[in-house]
Amino acid sequence: MTREEQTVRRQLVIATALVLGAAVILGACSTESGPDLEVTGTSVRLPPGPNTAMYFTVANTGNEGDRLIDAACTIADCEVHESYMEDGLMQMRQVEGVDVAPGDSVSFEPGGLHVMLIGVGTLELGQEVTVELIWEKSGTMTVTAPVESYGEMGG
Amino acid sequence: VVSRRFRSISALAALLLLAAACGSGAADDPYADDSIYAGVELAVPAEKPDFVLTDTNGDRFDFRAETDGKLTLLYFGYTFCPDICPVHLAQLDAVFERLPEVARNAKVVFVTVDPDRDTPDQLRSWLDAFNRDFIGLTGTEADLVAAQEAAGVPIARKNDDGPNYTVGHAGQVLAYAPDGMGYTVYPFGTRQSEWVQDLPLLLELTND
């Protein structure tokens, strides 16, 4: 092997190493970047009337935020709603989106955010309801929620 | 030296002003301090409102006469409400189960603020999902406004015209002791333990 060949060979080795290294780093990025959402504590309340609400908590353990932009289910019209106080009146409105920052967790709970199930019909205690949560980045996430009675705010 | 003393006097004056301002602010606070109640105690007790509406049987319901001598819990809401109203009612039912003595001597009166959709039948079946003894009232738009005015709550407001419109409404339960006076109100977020603390106390306030 001439000196020239050795140089070319060494350059090839270095280039390969660089490419492999870059691939490893890129690979690491693609698995670790982005939102990583976990939904817990899902609960659909036994509807006393035509409508009811689903409550849950969503935690984002990823390194990017995400935004809940809609909800869907087959048993009713689903909308993301929030209750809020205005001029002494308890109000409710559809929300455009709910941001969940990286490392953050957001509670959908009575008196605040909820997925409203409109025109839900008859449900039974213990029944499982399937709801799709639609996220800006994570796409559609299917969750199930047991039907539970209204009632305790805790304590 | 003079200017330093002047500065410290000014600072003292500012502090005194601030304290005075805070003092007058506290005097305007409608809620009493050091309350024995877990609910929000009114600084000035409110008289039980005087209004007449229609119950779910279609009968005339004179609120004062029908609830006379009873611990009375009054709430304005609507049955299409998925979040606030059902939580209040479910909690009251749960608390009544824990306090049978209170349950026997109390009336829960739910007045709809959505008379178009809340027919008497709709009201009845919705209330039955919580407790068959809960009373549902409706009336004309004008009668319902009069009832809210009498009770001193902000008047409910329909928000849009679609089929699934929402209605903004007072979120608090108004409580009246058997003596006919309101001492406390219970905003949304009141816990069962707080109801359990207050209702027996209120039940003792009679005219006897």
Side-chain angles (χ1 to χ4, degrees), chain A residues 48-53 55 77 81 83 86-92 109-112 114 116 118 150-155, chain B residues 78-80 82-84 86-87 90-91 122 126 129-130 154-155 157 159 164 166-171 188-193:
Chain A
N51 304 327
T52 190
Y55 304 113
D77 287 334
H81 276 227
S83 300
E86 188 180 70
D87 303 331
L89 294 176
M90 210 68 218
Q91 289 279 15
M92 187 173 65
E109 58 191 5
H114 56 272
M116 183 167 171
I118 303 163
Y150 272 99
E152 190 51 282
M153 301 274 309
Chain B
Y78 66 119
T79 74
F80 276 60
D83 185 39
I84 305 292
V87 174
Q91 282 199 303
Q122 165 74 11
W126 191 78
F130 304 103
I155 308 304
R157 199 170 58 219
N159 287 316
N164 293 320
T166 61
V167 183
H169 61 96
F188 185 75
T190 299
R191 288 166 184 273
Q192 284 187 26
S193 58

Side-chain angles (χ1 to χ4, degrees), chain B residues 150-186:
Chain B
V153 295
I155 308 304
R157 199 170 58 219
K158 188 174 156 179
N159 287 316
D160 49 71
D161 292 320
N164 293 320
Y165 63 85
T166 61
V167 183
H169 61 96
Q172 69 271 37
V173 176
L174 310 174
Y176 301 93
D179 67 3
M181 299 300 290
Y183 300 94
T184 47
V185 299
Y186 297 86

Side-chain angles (χ1 to χ4, degrees), chain B residues 130-168:
Chain B
F130 304 103
N131 188 314
R132 291 180 181 278
D133 294 327
F134 288 179
I135 295 160
L137 299 182
T138 187
T140 63
E141 229 27 275
D143 288 344
L144 294 172
V145 167
Q148 291 170 77
E149 278 172 349
V153 295
I155 308 304
R157 199 170 58 219
K158 188 174 156 179
N159 287 316
D160 49 71
D161 292 320
N164 293 320
Y165 63 85
T166 61
V167 183

